[in-house]
Amino acid sequence: MNNQTNRELSSVELRILNDSIVASGLNYLDPGVKKQEVIDNNKVNVLTYQIINRTNKNLLFIVDQDNLIYDQFGIKDYVDEQTVSGNDVYTAGIFFDIRDSKNNHTKYYSFLGSDEKLKNNEFIDNETKLRLQELNYPMTNRAEYSELIRRNSFILHPNEYKVFQYVLRLPLEKESNKYNAVVSEFDLDESKRYNFKLLYFCDSKALKQTLPSVKLKELEDNDIEIYDGFLISDDIPIKFK
């Protein structure tokens, strides 16, 4: 990633507008708890957040507001340790993180959807690759990222902001999968305290490798920079109801 000054980084902000996130403490692992009880008690949040640009630059961001990725691997630690470009990780995206009072990641368990949905995913992915090839997008082996960029990029001009909303359910959350083939259950314990935060990440160098020349020229001619690096929101508490 390109090096940006601390001043530049601090002039762009990722802010959660909710005061807290609500969750149910029931989960499948609790003795005597039935599956339907967990489903019936699942809590729904309308997570509202914004990205603010206080710089004097026109900045491009990539946010798929219909999906939110759980930061299960600690992407910031991963990126700090090695170069992301060329590796099979997200080039850009918005992530959420849940940690307990000891700063441990919350465990979660994933359940695959039906074989029919998974087969449908494979068909749609192949269709996406073909479309991107026809549009002269490079690196179609990373079609998911190219399609994300093509459909979900936006520009923030100086002193502009953009607000997003996402329906977040806890402890049962649909995984960040646009075809909903995976459901995850977060192992939340009502006797513990948890914090929730958001992270935005973009590797501009890797992202540019996924764009066709016509798009790169558009950015250059309009004096638009791809935001490079991390944005991390403040923590907000998870409350059990």
Side-chain angles (χ1 to χ4, degrees):
M1 293 186 296
N2 298 327
N3 291 321
Q4 289 179 280
T5 66
N6 291 332
R7 183 176 180 181
E8 285 176 322
L9 290 172
S10 64
S11 296
V12 182
E13 182 183 359
L14 173 61
R15 178 188 295 173
I16 300 176
L17 301 181
N18 305 64
D19 293 325
S20 61
I21 296 293
V22 296
S24 165
L26 292 177
N27 67 60
Y28 294 141
L29 301 180
D30 291 339
V33 174
K34 297 179 180 179
K35 179 179 180 179
Q36 194 59 45
E37 284 184 274
V38 179
I39 295 172
D40 292 343
N41 285 278
N42 207 28
K43 301 303 179 186
V44 178
N45 299 269
V46 178
L47 174 65
T48 305
Y49 61 96
Q50 62 183 4
I51 297 178
I52 308 166
N53 177 17
R54 297 191 183 92
T55 73
N56 60 359
K57 299 178 179 180
N58 302 313
L59 297 176
L60 180 141
F61 298 87
I62 313 292
V63 174
D64 181 357
Q65 60 185 331
D66 293 327
N67 286 299
L68 201 59
I69 309 159
Y70 181 54
D71 186 28
Q72 60 174 314
F73 301 118
I75 189 168
K76 188 174 190 310
D77 295 335
Y78 179 87
V79 172
D80 287 345
E81 290 175 3
Q82 56 184 299
T83 301
V84 172
S85 301
N87 289 312
D88 189 21
V89 298
Y90 282 92
T91 301
I94 190 85
F95 301 78
F96 72 99
D97 192 13
I98 299 175
R99 299 196 185 214
D100 63 21
S101 57
K102 296 182 180 179
N103 204 36
N104 296 316
H105 279 285
T106 300
K107 293 180 181 179
Y108 80 111
Y109 307 90
S110 293
F111 308 90
L112 287 177
S114 66
D115 290 340
E116 182 180 350
K117 283 185 178 179
L118 294 172
K119 288 178 182 177
N120 188 48
N121 289 4
E122 184 177 350
F123 171 78
I124 294 175
D125 285 344
N126 289 334
E127 189 178 47
T128 298
K129 288 179 181 179
L130 178 61
R131 179 171 60 252
L132 291 172
Q133 285 175 350
E134 292 171 341
L135 291 171
N136 296 316
Y137 274 72
M139 295 181 68
T140 51
N141 61 312
R142 305 183 73 185
E144 179 184 352
Y145 309 135
S146 296
E147 185 73 348
L148 175 69
I149 293 159
R150 194 171 76 90
R151 293 184 177 274
N152 298 286
S153 62
F154 64 94
I155 310 299
L156 283 183
H157 302 285
N159 298 312
E160 285 186 343
Y161 70 89
K162 187 173 177 64
V163 176
F164 306 90
Q165 289 190 304
Y166 176 81
V167 177
L168 175 72
R169 296 172 173 85
L170 288 176
L172 291 178
E173 168 64 3
K174 286 183 178 178
E175 192 71 5
S176 179
N177 182 308
K178 56 190 172 184
Y179 314 118
N180 298 326
V182 178
V183 173
S184 295
E185 181 184 17
F186 289 85
D187 187 10
L188 300 174
D189 183 343
E190 287 184 289
S191 67
K192 294 182 179 180
R193 295 173 56 189
Y194 297 91
N195 285 321
F196 177 98
K197 68 181 176 184
L198 293 175
L199 301 89
Y200 175 82
F201 165 68
C202 182
D203 181 346
S204 63
K205 181 179 179 181
L207 193 151
K208 287 178 180 178
Q209 294 173 0
T210 72
L211 296 177
S213 58
V214 65
K215 288 297 181 181
L216 293 173
K217 186 175 187 303
E218 174 190 315
L219 295 178
E220 182 179 357
D221 289 350
N222 289 294
D223 194 26
I224 296 168
E225 291 186 19
I226 299 172
Y227 181 83
D228 183 82
F230 281 94
L231 297 172
I232 303 175
S233 75
D234 288 337
D235 290 344
I236 61 172
I238 291 179
K239 296 183 178 181
F240 292 100
K241 292 187 177 181

